[in-house]
Amino acid sequence: HQRVYIINNIRGIDSSFLFYYMSNIFPKLMDKGSAQSTVPSIRLPMLLNFTLALPDKKKQNLIADFLDSKCSEIDATAEDIQKEISLLEDYKKSVITEAVTKGLNPDAEMKDSGVKWLPKIPKHWKVIPSKYLFANSDIRRQTGDEQLTASQKYGIITQKDYTAKENAQIVLATQGLEKWKHVEPNDFIISLRSFQGGLEMSEITGCITWHYVVLKAQKEVCHKYYKWLFKSARYINALQGTCNFIRDGQDLRFSNFALVPLFELPLAEQQQIADFLDTKCSEIDAIIADKKRQRGILTEYKKSLIYEYVTGKKEVPVHE
């Protein structure tokens, strides 16, 4: 891809004003470029043939100084909102980890677990090898199974839904489907990305590529409790500790999963923790979504502010 650098060597043009002016013009040029190419781009002839409608230098300076001040205020507010979002996301992670590793009773008596990744657990919890709790399922694709994808962003969804959500081009597999694995609701999926974002729990039926590991519970469990556990920072760190990703393309296998011991707790307590996290994390997610909405409004306001002043639709107030 070629890059176009604009060097302002024209007398009578304020560099800051030109920056604001072009930041308003570039999206329009990108739209024109995308009409001529599948990849949005700006070509040099488009810039050379573009006519600039500029005020005099004094007014440019005035507009640039005004926008510098206003945009700095907007950017500072947006940065504060982003910090709040980051704090909320960290808080959510801590809430999940605390609940799935210690339970909801802050006064519960703790004991040594003998497990490296979680040295202390409530006294009534039991350590169990993960392979005794979840088995590696190798049920092959069944007639009518839709092709699924494991996504940290959306969880387990059909490839058609993923394509629609991401506006991406995914070609459905037509060969080797006999090797694909059957997935049912409450199955857990291990993929290469699991060491970054944890295991994904499916809520739908379908099939997934044979590169993935499909886990089925071997005992009666509250699947949502283990869904939260497998998304906790401590578990992900433990899973990551089983891998050596120096070699490109290494997959996470069932053997990696089996190296991280799990623990059993009463079924009713599993359900209680899952219900608590469903409610608490939904509340946190709603606040985060509102903060992101505020940040988006600021972004759009900044764009409109620049547009209105560089195009002369609004005049900079002059104080005598």
Side-chain angles (χ1 to χ4, degrees), residues 145-162:
D145 279 353
E146 281 201 71
Q147 295 177 27
L148 307 178
T149 188
S151 161
Q152 288 183 38
K153 188 174 181 180
Y154 306 111
I156 306 298
I157 61 174
T158 66
Q159 290 193 357
K160 290 180 181 178
D161 285 345
Y162 183 82

Side-chain angles (χ1 to χ4, degrees), residues 40-294:
S41 59
I42 299 175
R43 292 176 173 80
L44 186 58
M46 298 169 66
L47 288 172
L48 295 176
N49 295 324
F50 194 83
T51 303
L52 299 179
L54 305 176
D56 60 52
K57 182 72 177 295
K58 184 178 179 181
K59 184 167 283 189
Q60 291 176 35
N61 296 152
L62 192 66
I63 293 171
D65 290 344
F66 175 79
L67 288 176
D68 282 346
S69 175
K70 288 296 183 182
C71 290
S72 292
E73 293 174 6
I74 295 170
D75 290 343
T77 303
E79 186 177 347
D80 287 341
I81 292 174
Q82 183 55 51
K83 288 178 181 177
E84 292 175 357
I85 292 172
S86 297
L87 286 172
L88 284 164
E89 289 173 341
D90 288 343
Y91 173 59
K92 178 182 173 181
K93 290 177 182 178
S94 69
V95 167
I96 294 171
T97 296
E98 188 79 8
V100 297
T101 60
K102 296 182 179 178
L104 302 180
N105 180 9
D107 300 320
E109 187 178 352
M110 307 295 283
K111 69 178 181 181
D112 292 333
S113 68
V115 175
K116 185 177 180 181
W117 77 273
L118 191 63
K120 296 283 186 180
I121 59 174
K123 189 175 182 179
H124 63 287
W125 291 16
K126 299 177 181 177
V127 175
I128 182 172
S130 52
K131 64 182 179 180
Y132 294 155
L133 198 55
F134 293 92
N136 184 4
S137 174
D138 201 28
I139 301 174
R140 297 299 174 174
R141 172 181 177 270
Q142 299 183 6
T143 303
D145 279 353
E146 281 201 71
Q147 295 177 27
L148 307 178
T149 188
S151 161
Q152 288 183 38
K153 188 174 181 180
Y154 306 111
I156 306 298
I157 61 174
T158 66
Q159 290 193 357
K160 290 180 181 178
D161 285 345
Y162 183 82
T163 299
K165 288 177 181 291
E166 290 292 299
N167 193 27
Q169 296 296 323
I170 295 180
V171 179
L172 295 178
T174 56
Q175 296 182 346
L177 288 174
E178 69 281 355
K179 295 182 180 179
W180 282 46
K181 298 180 180 180
H182 179 65
V183 176
E184 295 178 345
N186 296 326
D187 287 348
F188 287 93
I189 309 297
I190 302 177
S191 70
L192 181 61
R193 294 181 298 274
S194 293
F195 85 100
Q196 295 175 323
L199 279 60
E200 302 295 342
M201 189 184 88
S202 180
E203 296 183 0
I204 58 178
T205 300
C207 63
I208 202 155
T209 175
W210 54 272
H211 293 97
Y212 293 152
V213 176
V214 179
L215 302 176
K216 287 186 180 292
Q218 296 303 287
K219 295 187 175 186
E220 186 178 7
V221 298
C222 173
H223 292 86
K224 280 194 173 182
Y225 165 76
Y226 286 97
K227 172 186 174 180
W228 287 114
L229 174 65
F230 293 150
K231 286 291 182 182
S232 67
R234 284 218 174 192
Y235 179 82
I236 294 171
N237 287 338
L239 190 63
Q240 187 174 9
T242 69
C243 308
N244 178 4
F245 287 97
I246 295 176
R247 181 168 62 85
D248 291 339
Q250 179 178 341
D251 293 326
L252 273 171
R253 300 182 175 86
F254 182 74
S255 57
N256 297 105
F257 172 78
L259 289 173
V260 184
L262 297 174
F263 30 87
E264 282 187 295
L265 49 152
L267 194 60
E269 188 175 2
Q270 294 180 32
Q271 187 66 59
Q272 184 184 21
I273 293 171
D275 291 344
F276 166 78
L277 288 174
D278 283 347
T279 301
K280 187 69 175 178
C281 290
S282 291
E283 293 171 354
I284 298 171
D285 287 341
I287 298 172
I288 291 174
D290 186 59
K291 295 290 182 185
K292 289 181 177 180
R293 182 186 63 81
Q294 293 175 29

